[in-house]
Amino acid sequence: MIVSIHFEDDQKTIKVEANQRLTKICDEHPGFILFGCRNIACGTCLIEVVNGMENLAPVMEEEQILLDFLAPGKPNARLGCQCVVEGDICIKLAN
Ligand code: FES
């Protein structure tokens, strides 16, 4: 299944195969999101999911702990390095 990712900051949309990590997608389409550690440590990949939160694989406990620290009270925040894209999403940088 092909899904679309709209990067609101750049006003660009890319189409990719579903169920891929956002890190892999961004490695193949550089320039949208910076990843520091890729392992829930640095927070450089903090994004806001404008649309399609239900189309990302659920937040796991370790990610939630860092999200609670970096973006308290913001339910649409995710760490880009932990996102698996299952359907259409619209995202923007939160840093
Ligand atoms: S790249 Fe460091 S937390 Fe995502």
Side-chain angles (χ1 to χ4, degrees), residues 11-89:
Q11 288 296 307
K12 286 195 176 150
T13 302
I14 60 172
K15 305 259 187 201
V16 298
E17 194 67 40
N19 300 312
Q20 294 189 77
R21 288 192 158 276
L22 194 54
T23 46
K24 179 174 185 286
I25 293 165
C26 288
D27 285 346
E28 292 167 358
H29 300 84
F32 294 117
I33 301 175
L34 289 177
F35 300 100
C37 66
R38 298 179 180 229
N39 194 29
I40 319 178
C42 70
T44 57
C45 64
L46 187 66
I47 57 170
E48 179 183 331
V49 182
V50 179
N51 282 305
M53 184 63 106
E54 70 280 8
N55 291 329
L56 293 171
V59 179
M60 303 303 274
E61 188 179 349
E62 267 185 88
E63 181 186 357
Q64 189 61 59
I65 290 168
L66 188 53
L67 287 173
D68 288 344
F69 176 73
L70 294 173
K74 294 187 176 169
N76 288 346
R78 288 294 306 262
L79 296 176
C81 69
Q82 299 304 302
C83 290
V84 176
V85 183
E86 299 175 341
D88 296 347
I89 57 170

